Amino acid sequence: MSFTVAIDGPAAAGKGTVSRAVAAHFGLAHLDTGLLYRAVGKRVLLGENPVAAARALRAEDLEADGLRTQDVAQAASKVAVMPEVREAMVDFQRAFARRSGGAVLDGRDIGTVICPEAEAKLFVTASAECRAERRLKELVENGHQASYDSVLADVRERDARDSDRVAAPLRPAADATCIDTSDLTIAQAVGSAIAAVTAART
Ligand code: CDP
């Protein structure tokens, strides 16, 4: 039986943490769809054509090193405005979403475009300042150099590009449960998400 959880939200809102925890709790597979765009963005930084890179993408490309940098995040959000790039990756995401045993997908357009029929939809957000603080901590912990100001600027720039684009803009699905994690601990955010998915399962 398939069961799909769609988790969307802006950059560094905590979707990854919430998605992994929801997947572990319910025994579902998890796909971080941002990695698809990051993998294409990284190839574009190396000189490839974005549409060709998206069409040639393989599952193992999502495991590549160096996908979590700010440069790659910016390149990802630039390729993500291109309809042909998005189109090239739809089938892979939908097949993952409908795998038997169920799946959690996190991204920007999962509840609105990729899986509008998902059984559970969450929109995870937080203030830009909170998100920048969390992302800075994560980057530093992973050995990257960054300043708070540059991370905040990156988050704001990507939010604007992701929200204003014509193809699959970032926005909550009408039937999504919104969770603002600005003043929540990780345990509280995860608890709210699990409660919302539990309600959708019954
Ligand atoms: O981890 P973070 O929230 O900062 O970003 P991400 O989820 O890895 O996504 C990187 C970029 O890919 C985003 O800024 C979006 O432009 C794009 N993206 C998208 O357009 N659609 C998705 N389903 C996932 C990511």
Side-chain angles (χ1 to χ4, degrees):
M1 194 198 75
S2 73
F3 179 82
T4 308
V5 181
I7 303 187
D8 292 305
K15 299 183 300 294
T17 305
V18 166
S19 301
R20 282 189 298 273
V22 166
H25 182 87
F26 293 100
L28 306 170
H30 171 225
L31 177 64
D32 171 356
T33 66
L35 286 178
L36 298 168
Y37 295 89
R38 286 174 180 262
V40 174
K42 188 177 169 207
R43 282 170 167 234
V44 169
L45 290 176
L46 296 171
E48 280 189 50
N49 170 280
V51 178
R55 289 184 181 150
L57 208 65
R58 293 157 311 156
E60 51 267 39
D61 295 331
L62 309 186
E63 321 268 311
D65 287 336
L67 295 181
R68 298 277 179 204
T69 67
Q70 279 183 275
D71 286 352
V72 169
Q74 278 290 338
S77 82
K78 288 179 188 162
V79 301
V81 305
M82 301 174 186
E84 297 98 319
V85 165
R86 308 196 68 85
E87 191 53 45
M89 302 193 294
V90 167
D91 288 350
F92 176 80
Q93 295 174 81
R94 288 193 178 143
F96 192 98
R98 281 295 163 206
R99 57 169 52 199
S100 67
V104 179
L105 282 79
D106 74 279
R108 302 290 186 285
D109 62 340
I110 307 304
T112 50
V113 174
I114 301 296
C115 304
E117 74 299 337
E119 284 76 12
K121 296 182 191 175
L122 306 180
F123 192 83
V124 177
T125 189
S127 71
E129 291 77 10
C130 281
R131 292 185 281 127
E133 265 172 42
R134 292 178 192 162
R135 179 50 51 89
L136 176 64
K137 188 164 171 273
E138 198 177 282
L139 286 167
V140 169
E141 277 171 7
N142 288 313
H144 299 290
Q145 295 226 326
S147 68
Y148 173 77
D149 288 346
S150 79
V151 176
L152 181 60
D154 169 76
V155 159
R156 289 203 163 121
E157 200 181 319
R158 284 199 291 134
D159 282 356
R161 204 181 288 121
D162 292 349
S163 302
D164 295 346
R165 69 187 178 212
V166 175
L170 167 68
R171 60 185 48 130
D175 51 351
T177 301
C178 289
I179 302 176
D180 186 328
T181 67
S182 304
D183 299 318
L184 300 184
T185 62
I186 290 178
Q188 288 169 330
V190 167
S192 305
I194 288 174
V197 176
T198 302
R201 267 167 88 91
T202 49

